[in-house]
C-alpha cells in the first residue's frame, strides 16, 4: 500500500495543497515518449489514470466529465454527423460520442501508449469504442492535425491534459482558430478548461481567445470530484448563438429519440450547467 500525491498543485503551481490516493496496487507505471503514465487501484475510486502525476480519469467519476463534454454539444447541435476528438486517449469521450447513432468519430491522440494502457487496464472507459467501425483513430499532434487537415466537423471536443507539458499547445489562440476553420457552419467547439477556483487563468485566457474568434463563446460547468476544487469549466464556442440557448423541450425530444441512458446528463442539467457561480462570472468579467 502506497499513498500517491497528485502533482497538479505542487511544483510550479504550488498552492500548498494536494489530492492523495491510497494505491492498493500499482497496475502500470510506464514512461512513454511524451509523458509518465500510471494506473493504480484504489478502494473507493476504482482504477485511477495519472499522466505526469495528474489525475485524468477514475473509474468512479469519469462518467460525469465524459457525458458533459459529449452530450452537451451533441444534443445542442442536434444533427452532428462528423465529430472530432482531440486528445481523449482513455477512450471515454469516444465511447460517449459513439452512443449517438448517426455519428462518425475521428480521434486525434498524441500518445499511442495512453490508448494501449487504457484499453488494457481500464477497459470500462472505452467499452469497445476503439473497435467500432465508426471510429477513426489517428496518432499525431492535435495542433498539427488541425493546421494540416482539410476536413470539416460538426462538433470538435478538445479532451486535453492541462496546459502544462504536451497539452499546452491545445490552449493557444492559433489552435482555436484552426478549430474554427474546420467547423461546419453552426458547428460547436468544446474544451476542458480546468477548475476555475484553483486554475482561474486557464479559463480567463481561453475566454479571451475564444471570444476573439467566435460569434458566441462561453462556459458551462460540472463538478467532477477528482478534478479537485469544485466546478470544472468547459469552454463552448460556436458561430451560432442559438445553440447555447437551446430549449429544454428540444433537448428532451432529442435525448428521448436517441434513447441514450446517462448517469449525469439530463436535458434540465444541460440548461442549468450554463448558469455560472458568481465567482466564475466575476472572473469572466
Ligand atoms: N479528461 C482528462 C482531463 O481533463 O484531465 C483528459 C484525458 S485524456 C487522457 C488527455 C489526452 O490528451 C492524453 O491522452 C494526452 O496524450 C493527449 N494530448 C496531450 N497533448 C496532446 C496534443 N498536443 N495532441 C493530441 N493529444 C494530446
Amino acid at each position: 500500500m502506497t499513498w500517491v500525491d497528485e502533482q497538479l498543485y505542487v511544483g510550479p503551481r504550488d498552492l500548498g495543497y494536494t489530492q492523495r490516493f491510497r494505491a492498493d496496487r500499482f497496475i502500470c507505471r510506464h514512461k512513454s515518449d511524451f509523458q509518465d503514465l500510471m494506473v493504480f487501484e484504489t478502494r473507493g475510486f476504482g482504477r485511477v489514470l495519472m499522466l505526469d502525476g495528474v489525475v485524468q480519469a477514475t473509474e468512479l467519476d469519469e462518467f460525469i466529465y465524459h457525458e458533459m463534454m459529449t452530450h452537451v454539444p451533441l444534443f445542442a447541435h442536434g444533427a452532428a454527423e462528423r465529430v472530432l476528438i482531440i486528445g481523449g486517449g482513455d477512450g471515454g469521450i469516444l465511447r460517449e460520442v459513439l452512443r449517438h447513432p448517426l455519428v462518425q468519430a475521428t480521434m486525434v491522440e498524441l500518445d499511442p501508449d495512453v490508448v494501449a494502457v487504457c484499453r488494457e487496464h481500464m477497459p470500462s472507459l472505452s467499452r469497445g469504442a476503439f473497435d467500432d467501425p465508426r471510429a477513426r483513430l489517428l496518432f499525431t499532434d492535435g495542433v498539427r492535425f488541425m493546421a494540416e487537415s482539410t476536413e470539416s466537423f460538426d462538433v470538435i471536443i478538445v479532451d486535453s491534459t492541462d496546459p502544462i507539458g504536451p497539452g499546452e499547445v491545445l490552449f493557444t489562440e492559433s489552435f482555436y482558430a484552426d478549430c474554427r476553420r474546420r467547423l461546419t457552419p453552426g458547428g460547436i467547439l468544446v474544451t476542458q478548461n480546468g477548475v476555475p477556483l484553483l486554475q482561474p487563468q486557464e479559463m480567463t485566457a481561453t475566454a479571451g481567445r475564444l471570444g476573439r474568434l467566435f460569434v458566441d463563446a462561453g462556459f458551462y460547468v460540472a463538478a467532477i470530484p477528482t478534478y479537485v476544487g469544485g466546478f470544472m469549466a468547459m469552454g463552448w464556442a460556436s458561430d451560432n448563438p442559438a445553440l447555447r440557448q437551446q430549449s429544454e423541450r428540444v433537448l428532451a425530444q432529442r435525448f428521448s429519440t436517441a434513447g441514450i441512458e446517462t448517469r449525469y446528463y439530463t436535458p434540465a442539467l444541460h440548461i442549468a450547467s450554463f448558469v455560472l457561480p458568481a465567482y466564475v462570472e466575476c472572473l469572466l468579467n
Side-chain angles (χ1 to χ4, degrees), residues 11 13 23 30 40 44 56 63 104 115 118 145 152 173 189 193 197 199 218 258 268 278:
R13 289 185 175 192
H30 168 72
F40 54 88
Q56 303 296 306
F63 69 97
Q104 301 278 337
V115 173
C118 290
F145 175 84
S152 300
E173 191 156 340
L189 167 68
N193 272 109
L197 190 71
Q199 301 162 297

Side-chain angles (χ1 to χ4, degrees), residues 190-213:
V190 296
T191 59
Q192 85 85 353
N193 272 109
V195 172
L197 190 71
L198 303 181
Q199 301 162 297
Q201 67 301 330
E202 200 163 313
M203 191 185 69
T204 51
T206 299
R209 291 165 193 159
L210 295 179
R212 284 189 286 276
L213 291 166

Side-chain angles (χ1 to χ4, degrees), residues 47-48 53 64 98 102 111 129 161 181 193 209 215 243-244 252 268 284:
R47 292 190 178 183
V48 177
I64 304 173
L98 291 173
L102 300 180
D111 191 343
T161 44
R181 273 190 281 279
N193 272 109
R209 291 165 193 159
V215 174
L243 297 179
R244 195 150 60 111
L284 294 173

